[in-house]
Amino acid sequence: MAEPNTATANDDPHGIRQDVDNPATLILVFVVLIGLALANIGISGAMGPTKLTLPLQLAIASVQAGLVAYYFMHLRQGDKVVILTALSSLFWMGILFVLFLADYLTRHMVVG
Amino acid sequence: MSIAIEPQGPIAAPPPPEPDPVPVNYLNNGYSIWSWLFTVDHKRIGILYLVSISVFFLAGGIAAGIVRLNLLQPDGAIVTEDAYNRAFTAHGVMMLFFFLIPAVPAVFGNFFIPMMIGAKDLAFPKLNLASWYVFMLGAILAIWSVLAGGIDTGWTLYPPYSTRASQSHVIPGVVGVFISGFSSIMTGLNIMVTIHKMRAPGMTWGRLPLFVWALYATSLIQLLATPVVAITLLLIVVERMMGIGIFDPTIGGDPILFQHMFWFYSHPAVYIMILPGMGVISEVLTCFSRKNIFGYHAVAWSSVGIAVVGFLLWAHHMFVAGISFYAALLFSLLSMLVAVPSAIKVFNWTATLYRGSITFHAPMLFALGFVVLFIIGGLTGLFLATLGTDIHLHDTYFVVAHFHFVMVGGMVMGYFAGLHYWWPKMTGRMYSDWWSRLAAIIIIVGFFLTFIPQFYIGYHGMPRRYPNYPHEFQIFNVMSTAGASILGIGYLMPVVYLTLSLFYGKKASANPWSATGLEWQCPSPPSVHNFEKTPVVVCGPYEYAIGVDQMGRGLPEPPGVDDNPARRSGITGPAGPMNKETEVVG
């Protein structure tokens, strides 16, 4: 196999450096996560138990989970198999919720 | 189509010479306790698991013995009602979480997956060792809870009893199971990454042994389902310790929620237990019938199919728990679906046996026992998947008999088949052929006597987990206890002859069963890094009809019907097409 001849490739022949996280990015993401957590707590106190509270809090939590998966769990650098694996876990969670709801949403229905 | 292959001399390369005795193998590479406790060798870690789960199998068996002895009399023969509750819970927890789940993946998976795909080790050797320590930590906590007085909730730990009323040691037991779940996740992750990333050149997905496919499907379930039960068990602890209403309806919780989350893991966990056993059976049936597997792709993909469909049907455990009628209909239908991939396997195994040159050595006897008992267990499962009949049979001994036919008749037989099949490779020693065959027959007979009567009394209304029963059921319970005694003797026999084989057994050749897999190309016992050179795979995993291993080399002469493998000394004859009519499949 021909040797890579660019200066960058010689310097980082296995492409390791591009997979290393930038500390500034990680710290920024961490700060955002803490901010979202505080926002979640704040919403709980400010809004009280309204119809919108839970969906809003779940939406914030989903953004947090997404950030953790993308940056801290390195999906950002993952190949197709890794991303497919992550998506499959979401699919499985979907199975859990959909079939749960098949029970909870129809339990009040009277047979016949 | 059927063709006759004439004996024309070897068409493949001759069988490889017996590998030179390796001065350093994985067993003699260090004798100190530390060389075992800090090993990162997948084979040694497999042995650590083997020793551990054997102890838990014995402990769970003792608890089962207490249950069966107590049921000799209608009013309870030996223990109080409370102690009876603790005995069957200990039996369930030990057997399920600390024997059945880790049995094949952690012992044979750890030991053989790298060898079967031509790798030197698993992808993450240190994670592998960590998984054993985590497993032992969880197991010690669970054992402590049993020794400190036990748990009386049943292995299912249903709230609100487990969170509000039970006066037993629920928390340490639950935490023990919670911790051991991480071990299961680690093992599954390790096996999955290893299969993806470390296959030898030429080892395509279509050439993977079916045991590897089965472990891949198992790992999928371990990774995706175990976290759900882990968090569920943690919620039990939270409710029990802090009184936060999650499952207890008196403080705002929902007990059905627990059952949903528990069975979302615990039903697929049944397939964590049985799928690896199915993988073992595919290896053993082909080897001892000298036939290519019938329908390789169907068997391989049915493993994945079982893993996926297995996630869709958990609520059939809850038909009488108060779930929606429409959901119950849906889950009843979905439960039927899993019969399809299961039946695909059984039909293909049967077709594999058809016109094979079958020899009845111990691994084959256990494998045939698996097939028969699994068929009975699977068919009785259809009774329980059917909504109407399940209302009648729910929580009776019919259910107990059904899942023991699948778990013990299936999985434990698969485990013993694998143990006897791979023991010469793991230890380098042959065991007694006669005693091992006798043990297989005793176990099968004992099993039938134990569990067939339970179908009858269950159908006639004897509930599970009750220490008392009407007098008319006594004869069946006595039969069942007698069968359990025979079963116990059968299970103890391998302990004796396998242990004796370590000291007095004849040295095993590299390939005593004349099998085709890569693991048989290593010396017995294997060297530290398995292969001196990375093997190059050139053909499928079960080319018995043309008599070549996965590297395209000839096979040693297979053991005959009356041939005692313990008396064979390595390679005894040329390889080549067998002088027999063979079925061309696929």
Side-chain angles (χ1 to χ4, degrees):
Chain A
M1 200 172 84
E3 287 291 320
N5 53 12
T6 63
T8 313
N10 283 334
D11 196 31
D12 185 18
H14 301 292
I16 292 170
R17 197 161 297 158
Q18 69 183 17
D19 285 343
V20 176
D21 291 308
N22 180 359
T25 310
L26 292 183
I27 291 169
L28 180 66
V29 173
F30 181 73
V31 170
V32 171
L33 284 171
I34 295 295
L36 288 171
L38 293 173
N40 224 342
I41 295 166
I43 286 170
S44 180
M47 292 178 65
T50 67
K51 276 188 177 177
L52 278 178
T53 310
L54 186 61
L56 194 58
Q57 288 183 309
L58 286 176
I60 292 174
S62 301
V63 172
Q64 286 178 299
L67 287 172
V68 170
Y70 192 68
Y71 288 101
F72 293 157
M73 296 175 78
H74 293 168
L75 279 188
R76 195 164 59 104
Q77 296 119 339
D79 59 16
K80 284 178 185 168
V81 175
V82 174
I83 291 170
L84 188 67
T85 306
L87 290 178
S88 71
S89 66
L90 285 181
F91 174 72
W92 249 262
M93 207 161 68
I95 291 175
L96 177 73
F97 288 150
V98 168
L99 291 179
F100 260 42
L101 293 175
D103 173 26
Y104 281 94
L105 295 182
T106 60
R107 206 181 284 176
H108 64 284
M109 292 183 184
V110 180
V111 179
Chain B
M1 182 175 73
S2 136
I3 58 171
I5 296 178
E6 298 298 330
Q8 305 166 342
I11 58 168
E18 180 72 7
D20 293 332
V22 184
V24 179
N25 60 51
Y26 85 99
L27 285 174
N28 64 18
N29 182 32
Y31 292 99
S32 71
I33 186 76
W34 304 114
S35 72
W36 282 89
L37 291 179
F38 292 127
T39 183
V40 288
D41 185 333
H42 65 102
K43 299 178 287 296
R44 282 195 167 203
I45 295 169
I47 298 292
L48 289 175
Y49 268 112
L50 175 65
V51 173
S52 314
I53 66 162
S54 299
V55 172
F56 300 133
F57 186 55
L58 180 66
I62 290 170
I66 293 170
V67 170
R68 284 307 333 160
L69 285 174
N70 198 55
L71 289 169
L72 276 173
Q73 290 183 4
D75 296 325
I78 58 169
V79 293
T80 63
E81 280 87 348
D82 188 44
Y84 180 83
N85 291 343
R86 292 164 199 258
F88 71 67
T89 305
H91 169 65
V93 170
M94 292 283 179
M95 288 300 199
L96 285 165
F97 295 112
F98 299 106
F99 174 71
L100 285 171
I101 288 177
V104 173
V107 177
F108 302 131
N110 267 331
F111 201 108
F112 287 107
I113 288 285
M115 294 167 70
M116 291 173 104
I117 64 170
K120 290 181 177 175
D121 206 320
L122 285 166
F124 307 117
K126 289 176 184 170
L127 185 73
N128 196 16
L129 180 64
S131 82
W132 181 73
Y133 277 102
V134 169
F135 173 75
M136 290 306 293
L137 182 65
I140 287 167
L141 263 174
I143 287 178
W144 181 80
S145 78
V146 170
L147 294 179
I151 312 171
D152 64 355
T153 62
W155 78 274
T156 47
L157 298 157
Y158 274 10
Y161 181 69
S162 62
T163 58
R164 189 205 313 166
S166 173
Q167 298 299 313
S168 58
H169 294 74
V170 172
I171 289 179
V174 164
V175 173
V177 174
F178 172 80
I179 292 173
S180 74
F182 286 94
S183 162
S184 184
I185 293 171
M186 290 174 185
T187 300
L189 179 75
N190 220 340
I191 287 175
M192 196 172 245
V193 174
T194 304
I195 295 170
H196 267 281
K197 293 288 187 186
M198 297 179 67
R199 303 192 306 277
M203 181 61 88
T204 59
W205 286 90
R207 288 175 179 168
L208 283 177
L210 290 167
F211 178 73
V212 179
W213 271 101
L215 265 287
Y216 185 84
T218 306
S219 303
L220 190 74
I221 308 174
Q222 285 177 308
L223 281 177
L224 291 169
T226 313
V228 179
V229 80
I231 202 69
T232 310
L233 295 176
L234 207 58
L235 291 175
I236 287 271
V237 175
V238 168
E239 181 167 294
R240 189 174 169 87
M241 289 182 75
M242 302 178 193
I244 297 172
I246 302 163
F247 304 126
D248 184 348
T250 61
I251 48 177
D254 177 6
I256 306 285
L257 177 65
F258 174 85
Q259 296 188 28
H260 270 303
M261 293 170 71
F262 180 81
W263 288 113
F264 182 78
Y265 165 79
S266 294
H267 191 77
V270 170
Y271 304 113
I272 293 178
M273 299 173 214
I274 194 72
L275 271 171
M278 291 171 160
V280 172
I281 298 311
S282 296
E283 300 296 319
V284 173
L285 286 184
T286 48
C287 177
F288 290 91
S289 60
R290 315 306 300 171
K291 284 271 300 284
N292 298 32
I293 190 82
F294 187 97
Y296 171 87
H297 289 96
V299 178
W301 282 103
S302 65
S303 292
V304 180
I306 288 173
V308 174
V309 177
F311 273 98
L312 307 178
L313 41 98
W314 72 84
H316 63 228
H317 295 269
M318 302 162 58
F319 284 159
V320 298
I323 63 170
S324 145
F325 173 74
Y326 297 100
L329 276 181
L330 175 67
F331 278 105
S332 178
L333 177 69
L334 290 169
S335 300
M336 300 288 179
L337 286 183
V338 82
V340 176
S342 306
I344 286 173
K345 282 190 184 295
V346 171
F347 286 133
N348 282 290
W349 288 331
T350 311
T352 302
L353 291 171
Y354 177 63
R355 296 170 90 174
S357 300
I358 296 172
T359 48
F360 294 99
H361 294 293
M364 187 61 160
L365 289 177
F366 282 112
L368 292 174
F370 174 104
V371 175
V372 172
L373 300 178
F374 176 72
I375 289 172
I376 298 172
L379 289 177
T380 51
L382 293 176
F383 289 59
L384 300 170
T386 307
L387 192 50
T389 45
D390 184 71
I391 303 292
H392 173 66
L393 297 170
H394 188 89
D395 264 353
T396 67
Y397 259 86
F398 191 94
V399 179
V400 175
H402 155 71
F403 70 70
H404 279 86
F405 260 86
V406 179
M407 293 292 92
V408 185
M411 176 56 204
V412 179
M413 296 297 276
Y415 172 74
F416 274 98
L419 189 64
H420 286 77
Y421 181 55
W422 282 311
W423 183 263
K425 179 57 62 185
M426 296 168 82
T427 63
R429 299 286 177 170
M430 298 302 299
Y431 50 82
S432 164
D433 191 50
W434 191 85
W435 282 102
S436 58
R437 293 190 209 202
L438 182 66
I441 292 166
I442 286 176
I443 288 172
I444 292 169
V445 170
F447 183 87
F448 271 112
L449 189 56
T450 307
F451 292 106
I452 287 288
Q454 294 184 11
F455 278 126
Y456 180 84
I457 57 177
Y459 186 81
H460 286 82
M462 179 166 166
R464 64 192 287 202
R465 295 179 171 171
Y466 278 41
N468 308 314
Y469 55 83
H471 281 276
E472 57 263 36
F473 290 149
Q474 186 171 16
I475 181 65
F476 298 101
N477 275 297
V478 170
M479 284 167 67
S480 192
T481 303
S485 309
I486 295 171
L487 198 53
I489 291 167
Y491 285 145
L492 285 175
M493 285 172 66
V495 176
V496 177
Y497 62 73
L498 291 179
T499 306
L500 287 176
S501 78
L502 294 175
F503 302 100
Y504 306 109
K506 185 175 170 57
K507 284 188 176 174
S509 63
N511 194 356
W513 309 121
S514 187
T516 52
L518 284 185
E519 77 270 30
W520 301 103
Q521 311 314 314
C522 306
S524 301
S527 56
V528 176
H529 296 297
N530 304 339
F531 301 95
E532 286 192 21
K533 288 186 290 186
T534 303
V536 176
V537 177
V538 298
C539 59
Y542 306 109
E543 298 294 352
Y544 286 103
I546 56 173
V548 293
D549 63 29
Q550 282 203 273
M551 296 164 74
R553 304 181 304 184
L555 294 173
E557 185 180 293
V561 176
D562 300 319
D563 182 6
N564 182 348
R567 298 207 182 91
R568 300 174 72 229
S569 53
I571 295 160
T572 55
M578 289 181 291
N579 181 18
K580 64 185 282 295
E581 198 174 64
T582 188
E583 197 77 7
V584 177
V585 295

